[in-house]
Amino acid sequence: MFSPVIKPTTVRTILSIVVTKKWVLRQVDVNNAFLNGDLAEEVYMTQPPGYEQGNSKRLVCKLNKAIYRLKQASRAWFETLKVYLISSGLYVSKSDSSLFVRVLNDRMVYLLVYVDDIIVTGCDCTEVQTVIDDLHKHFSLKDLGTLNFFLGIEVVYAQDCLVLNQKKYIKDLLQRSGLADAKGLPTPMVSNLHLSMVVGSLIDNATEYRSIVGALQYVVITRP
């Protein structure tokens, strides 16, 4: 029911290679990605409003393609994309199932896939553009040009480096948790505090706390 996504360590590693070798760095977004997924199992749904035929209480629709909010949609889309990329001459990296590689006459192209967001890079601009054009022939794409913003991470180009920051992501998190006006401190908590399982009061909203902690873990992408 899930789709594998590119690992943060893979993203950092590939971006390091891009900076060192001065490769081109492109980004594309697949339009309505989940609607491209082919279902491997039989799935039925009630008839959508306005499109009922016959007895709507007895007749249902059989899905041949995935749709949004379907549990299998993300996995079905990734499998469809994977089959196409492999048929196009790319292979799956052994270290990351969402990293696709093609080597042709010493020209290398990398595709980093995170659901419908795809980073394309390689040593040859023409080869990178060819991969994007071939992908666009099979799927409807939005070519976002040079990589600038990816999964809440802003990419800033300097002379000999890439600067990654999550300023917008952190500000949105502070806003969502009601801490937008909080003052900064040099340490995240009191340094001499002793925590205990049996002393103290429970958190009022444990779900919100877990959500914030989980969101904070994502910030380490730019702070390895």
Side-chain angles (χ1 to χ4, degrees), residues 29 34 99 123 146 179 184 204-205 208 216:
D29 181 80
F34 288 177
L99 173 63
C123 59
T146 303
L179 296 171
D204 293 334
N205 191 336
E208 180 185 16
L216 285 173

Side-chain angles (χ1 to χ4, degrees), residues 5-12 94-98 112-114:
V5 294
I6 196 73
K7 299 175 183 176
T9 51
T10 304
V11 175
R12 290 198 299 264
K94 293 181 180 180
S95 61
D96 195 325
S97 58
S98 293
L112 295 79
V113 179
Y114 195 103

Side-chain angles (χ1 to χ4, degrees), residues 172-185:
D172 290 344
L173 177 59
L174 289 171
Q175 191 72 36
R176 177 161 61 90
S177 56
L179 296 171
D181 297 326
K183 296 181 180 180
L185 291 173

Side-chain angles (χ1 to χ4, degrees), residues 140-160:
S140 175
L141 294 182
K142 184 186 299 179
D143 190 345
L144 302 178
T146 303
L147 178 67
N148 290 301
F149 200 81
F150 183 72
L151 305 179
I153 304 171
E154 183 182 3
V155 181
V156 180
Y157 295 82
Q159 185 174 0
D160 295 314

Side-chain angles (χ1 to χ4, degrees), residues 76-105:
W77 153 243
F78 181 81
E79 289 299 322
T80 300
L81 177 64
K82 177 181 176 181
V83 169
Y84 167 74
L85 292 177
I86 292 176
S87 67
S88 300
L90 289 93
Y91 64 88
V92 183
S93 168
K94 293 181 180 180
S95 61
D96 195 325
S97 58
S98 293
L99 173 63
F100 296 85
V101 184
R102 184 166 82 176
V103 181
L104 184 63
N105 297 328

Side-chain angles (χ1 to χ4, degrees), residues 10-217:
T10 304
V11 175
R12 290 198 299 264
T13 301
I14 297 300
L15 291 183
S16 298
I17 296 174
V18 168
V19 171
T20 304
K21 297 184 177 294
K22 301 186 185 303
W23 285 359
V24 62
L25 195 57
R26 300 279 298 279
Q27 180 181 10
V28 298
D29 181 80
V30 182
N31 298 320
N32 301 316
F34 288 177
L35 303 184
N36 294 290
D38 297 313
L39 294 175
E41 53 276 298
E42 289 190 2
V43 180
Y44 298 89
M45 63 174 285
T46 56
Q47 297 187 53
Y51 295 90
E52 296 94 341
Q53 294 187 18
N55 188 339
S56 60
K57 293 184 178 179
R58 296 185 59 189
L59 298 178
V60 294
C61 296
K62 179 184 177 182
L63 295 178
N64 295 320
K65 292 279 189 177
I67 59 174
Y68 281 81
R69 298 187 66 182
L70 186 69
K71 291 182 179 180
Q72 297 93 334
S74 180
R75 186 207 64 198
W77 153 243
F78 181 81
E79 289 299 322
T80 300
L81 177 64
K82 177 181 176 181
V83 169
Y84 167 74
L85 292 177
I86 292 176
S87 67
S88 300
L90 289 93
Y91 64 88
V92 183
S93 168
K94 293 181 180 180
S95 61
D96 195 325
S97 58
S98 293
L99 173 63
F100 296 85
V101 184
R102 184 166 82 176
V103 181
L104 184 63
N105 297 328
D106 295 329
R107 291 178 294 179
M108 183 171 291
V109 176
Y110 289 113
L111 267 79
L112 295 79
V113 179
Y114 195 103
V115 190
D116 56 350
D117 287 326
I118 303 176
I119 297 176
V120 188
T121 185
C123 59
D124 186 270
C125 297
T126 303
E127 194 67 25
V128 169
Q129 187 61 51
T130 299
V131 171
I132 294 176
D133 291 341
D134 290 344
L135 195 62
H136 189 45
K137 291 176 183 178
H138 202 78
F139 304 104
S140 175
L141 294 182
K142 184 186 299 179
D143 190 345
L144 302 178
T146 303
L147 178 67
N148 290 301
F149 200 81
F150 183 72
L151 305 179
I153 304 171
E154 183 182 3
V155 181
V156 180
Y157 295 82
Q159 185 174 0
D160 295 314
C161 67
L162 294 176
V163 180
L164 306 180
N165 77 71
Q166 293 171 282
K167 184 185 298 184
K168 182 180 183 302
Y169 176 84
I170 294 172
K171 284 185 175 181
D172 290 344
L173 177 59
L174 289 171
Q175 191 72 36
R176 177 161 61 90
S177 56
L179 296 171
D181 297 326
K183 296 181 180 180
L185 291 173
T187 56
M189 63 188 300
V190 180
S191 58
N192 60 353
L193 179 66
H194 296 285
L195 300 177
S196 171
M197 292 178 58
V198 295
V199 178
S201 57
L202 296 176
I203 297 174
D204 293 334
N205 191 336
T207 301
E208 180 185 16
Y209 175 79
R210 295 188 187 102
S211 175
I212 294 174
V213 170
L216 285 173
Q217 289 178 341

